[in-house]
Amino acid sequence: MSAADPVTPVRRLPALAGTSALALTLALAVTGCAAEAKPELKVSGAYMPQPVTDTMAGGFLTVTNSGDEADKLTSVSSDVGKEAEIHRTVGQKMERVKSLKVPANGELTLGRGGNHLMFLDLERKPAKGEKVSVTLRFEKSGAMKVSVPVESTNYVPDGTTGKSSGESSGK
């Protein structure tokens, strides 16, 4: 065979095409796996202690993320008040934060003495036995409605320490 033989490139073409097809298949498989990684959120243990004042109330719950990607709680709203905020407690001082992280394969716990929800400018004072509609908004997962039962003012769920976990972002 001479260097000008047209058969030589044709013989290499199937091998090159097979290698390219394999590389494309692997790239699509890796991309497909990355696209499947997403937060999978579930809310549990939600409650609001019956407020002692007519102007504000606290809210507590746990957000469990069984997905392989983190998310952030970015805002909250409710049918009980004009304003709702995400707070953390540092020392003895509460401060508003822009978001709280929900780690991948982890949880964000909002509880007494730590991270929590604050409902301000109450339009009505919720009483024990009622349910309050709360909408949690997440950076990646979007909005999630939660029906939050109102418990007694001094209610503490079984098995809790009252401490909260989760990282905050900004003030």
Side-chain angles (χ1 to χ4, degrees):
M1 290 188 168
S2 70
D5 186 357
V7 177
T8 303
V10 173
R11 287 187 185 159
R12 290 186 184 162
L13 185 59
L16 183 59
T19 303
S20 296
L22 178 61
L24 180 60
T25 302
L26 287 173
L28 289 174
V30 170
T31 303
C33 289
E36 291 176 19
K38 61 181 181 178
E40 294 178 27
L41 306 182
K42 177 184 168 190
V43 175
S44 62
Y47 72 99
M48 174 185 285
Q50 181 174 308
V52 294
T53 72
D54 293 336
T55 59
M56 67 180 152
F60 310 107
L61 52 86
T62 299
V63 181
T64 302
N65 182 359
S66 59
D68 292 331
E69 186 174 357
D71 207 341
K72 285 183 182 177
L73 175 62
T74 58
S75 69
V76 61
S77 60
S78 173
D79 66 347
V80 75
K82 295 177 185 176
E83 191 175 345
E85 299 176 349
I86 304 167
H87 282 201
R88 71 176 175 180
T89 302
V90 179
Q92 296 295 315
K93 183 182 175 195
M94 291 187 300
E95 59 185 28
R96 183 179 186 178
V97 294
K98 291 181 181 180
S99 65
L100 291 173
K101 183 177 179 181
V102 185
N105 297 301
E107 61 183 32
L108 165 66
T109 302
L110 305 180
R112 293 179 186 264
N115 298 327
H116 59 280
L117 304 176
M118 283 299 298
F119 303 95
L120 307 167
D121 296 326
L122 298 180
E123 294 174 350
R124 63 181 174 84
K125 183 177 176 181
K128 181 181 175 186
E130 293 180 4
K131 291 194 185 248
V132 173
S133 178
V134 174
T135 301
L136 306 172
R137 287 178 193 78
F138 297 91
E139 181 178 70
K140 296 174 184 165
S141 300
M144 181 182 292
K145 287 198 175 240
V146 181
S147 181
V148 178
V150 179
E151 301 290 350
S152 64
T153 302
N154 59 354
Y155 175 79
V156 177
D158 291 336
T160 64
T161 62
K163 295 185 178 179
S164 301
S165 65
E167 298 175 22
S168 63
S169 175
K171 288 184 179 180

